[in-house]
Amino acid sequence: MDATIIIDSLPSLLKATLMTIFLAAISIVIALIIGFFTAIVRIVKVKILNGIASTYISIIRGTPLLVQIFVIYYGLPQVGIALDPISSGILALSLNAGAYLSESFRASILAVDNGQMEASMSMGMTYSQALRRIILPQSLRIAIPTLSNTFIVLIKDTSLVSVITVTELLQMSSLIIAKTFEPLTIYLIAAAIYWVLITFFTTLLNKLEIKTSNYLVR
């Protein structure tokens, strides 16, 4: 490995890493919102809305993320909806993660004893109040491991948006390789950066999970 190439490439790769983190962070926030409301729709079982939610989940889980990215970036302009690469990437990542999170939210909410909902409503709470004050805090502890795993997967999935020219870590690696003709060196550096990112966020989220669990069991 040429040390000069490594030193010259690192600033650009680290800058692109910030884009990777940005994509993952924005996408997980949007995915949490999508996942939560989709889960609620499926639990309350309003026929039309439940059908839409179920179809959305089925389509997202039944098709590759790469295809979803292509449909949004290359397909939507044909129906008059043109998005820039970053917006397209965020939308695709959010919709994909949201579908999986919705099932996690739904399972964690249903895992809470139904008797607690009945007891809350018998005390005068509305359904939404009981859900917010009693059920959701308990379901959160159940869902956190899955939420953490989804975010970790999302960080790695950001590499797929390189196909629509979003300059994240993998795309920047390819651009540098086109100039240096050193694919082994550059891809190994990129792999090392991904590994550091994943290790850091895994450790951070594991600590958050432990603290949240301790808080909720008090």
Side-chain angles (χ1 to χ4, degrees):
M1 291 186 183
D2 191 331
T4 302
I5 292 176
I6 296 175
I7 294 172
D8 291 343
S9 301
L10 269 178
S12 296
L13 290 173
L14 292 176
K15 183 178 179 180
T17 300
L18 295 178
M19 174 59 74
T20 292
I21 296 172
F22 170 77
L23 290 170
I26 295 297
S27 297
I28 194 65
V29 170
I30 298 173
L32 285 169
I33 296 171
I34 293 172
F36 174 75
F37 284 105
T38 303
I40 296 300
V41 165
R42 299 207 56 204
I43 289 172
V44 298
K45 295 182 178 179
V46 177
K47 191 172 183 180
I48 296 177
L49 295 179
N50 186 55
I52 294 173
S54 297
T55 301
Y56 153 65
I57 293 170
S58 177
I59 291 173
I60 294 298
R61 297 183 68 177
T63 56
L65 174 55
L66 188 58
V67 173
Q68 296 162 22
I69 293 172
F70 284 152
V71 168
I72 291 172
Y73 185 64
Y74 294 111
L76 289 185
Q78 290 191 328
V79 295
I81 304 174
L83 300 175
D84 62 80
I86 293 178
S87 298
S88 297
I90 290 174
L91 179 59
L93 292 169
S94 300
L95 289 173
N96 185 272
Y100 288 93
L101 286 176
S102 69
E103 292 298 276
S104 173
F105 279 131
R106 179 170 172 267
S108 64
I109 291 172
L110 293 177
V112 178
D113 187 359
N114 190 52
Q116 296 193 44
M117 173 64 78
E118 295 174 354
S120 300
M121 295 182 72
S122 69
M123 295 174 62
M125 290 187 187
T126 63
Y127 181 87
S128 61
Q129 288 175 330
L131 186 66
R132 185 176 67 254
R133 298 176 183 177
I134 306 299
I135 305 301
L136 289 182
Q138 296 180 69
S139 64
L140 177 63
R141 180 165 58 94
I142 302 171
I144 280 181
T146 304
L147 302 182
S148 300
N149 184 64
T150 300
F151 181 65
I152 296 304
V153 171
L154 199 52
I155 292 175
K156 292 184 283 188
D157 282 347
T158 57
S159 62
L160 293 175
V161 302
S162 63
V163 298
I164 55 173
T165 70
V166 176
T167 312
E168 44 66 69
L169 181 54
L170 184 60
Q171 173 71 357
M172 180 57 72
S173 299
S174 299
L175 293 175
I176 293 173
I177 289 168
K179 295 178 181 179
T180 62
F181 302 101
E182 291 284 347
L184 179 60
T185 300
I186 302 304
Y187 281 136
L188 283 177
I189 296 173
I193 293 173
Y194 276 118
W195 177 74
V196 170
L197 275 181
I198 298 302
T199 301
F200 171 76
F201 282 110
T202 298
T203 302
L204 185 66
L205 291 169
N206 283 342
K207 290 181 178 180
L208 176 63
E209 180 184 342
I210 293 171
K211 288 184 177 180
T212 305
S213 297
N214 291 338
Y215 174 77
L216 290 174
V217 297
R218 289 176 183 176

